[in-house]
Amino acid sequence: MSVLLVILLMWAVTYPVRLLGLNLGRLQLPPFWLAFLKYVPVSVFAALVVPDIVTSPEWPRRMIAAVVGGLLMWRTRQLALGILVGFAAYWLARVAGL
Amino acid sequence: MFPLWLGMVPFAVAYAVTARAGGLTPLEIQLMSLTVFAGASQIAAAGLFVKGAAGVGIVLTTFLLNVRHVLYGLSLAKQLPLTPPQRTLAAQFLTDEAYGMVTVKGAEEPGGLSFAFLLGAELSLYTIWNASTLLGSLAGAVLPPPEQLGVGVIFPLAFLGLLVPLLVDRITLAVALTSGLVAWGLSHFLPSGLVILGSGVGGALLGAVLHTRLKLAGDSA
């Protein structure tokens, strides 16, 4: 599949979902499925993060970056700071030969 | 609103840098920001391009990540009656940030929440997102190759930034831990697109089960 096609299909599965919600103002979803939708982001984000760190060939450096960056984001709620300091921690580990 | 605008910049740059590492041209990188306009799924897609994942997996992951927009639409439609043409337009630019901005700030406006306020909030975010994407693309063009810079680590860091604020109670922690560990296990024998889908749906189901159980227990107590 070409990159262009992937992008257009990504659009094709995103826009209708947004429109659907706006058009269903009167619908009442069952509580279970409302909860399901609510937990999708937390679940997907974790599924994206964990394998990307632990199965990477440079996992010790990435682990250090994630711990440092994650703790900082948790304590300060400053996303950009977390990314920058996490990236710096990665480089410190890399320079140190980890 | 300013912190929200500022908050998008590192994400857009992370997206553009990761997408470049995944072999996308600056034009393709920009096209995705102009059409899809969904931060989390764009960064996820970029990361999957880096891994060489199949197109179908990328599209399905995008769908899974964006089904939550149904919730925003539902909630917005209850707060603000929109005509069909207004819905058609507003839907293209509906994001987590726009929803948050409109529900929190819209009510404080003189005259209450309006379509003009909704579209203004949406378009301001759209502009920042696309300008920052371009910035990330341009930075990527003048810097050394992505591997040398070690920018691969930006991808998990960006998603940690999305994940950490969501970990607010025991259920969200349980969901994140389970989904993350299942994804690690599955990644040994499944392609990355399917790993995200499988553990993403599984984790959200677990969350819904725990949520409804605890709710029932709370109601009967």
Side-chain angles (χ1 to χ4, degrees), chain A residues 10 12 14 18 33 36 44 51-52 54 57 59-60 62 76 78 83 92:
Chain A
M10 285 174 68
T14 302
R18 289 172 169 168
W33 292 107
F36 174 81
V44 171
D52 201 71
V54 294
W59 68 267
R62 287 199 180 189
T76 66
Q78 299 289 318
I83 293 185
L92 276 179

Side-chain angles (χ1 to χ4, degrees), chain A residues 3-37:
Chain A
V3 171
L4 184 65
L5 185 60
V6 172
I7 292 174
L8 292 179
L9 286 175
M10 285 174 68
W11 191 16
V13 297
T14 302
Y15 177 76
V17 169
R18 289 172 169 168
L19 188 60
L20 182 71
L22 284 175
N23 278 318
L24 292 181
R26 288 157 201 275
L27 184 87
Q28 298 287 341
L29 270 183
F32 181 86
W33 292 107
L34 275 178
F36 174 81
L37 288 177

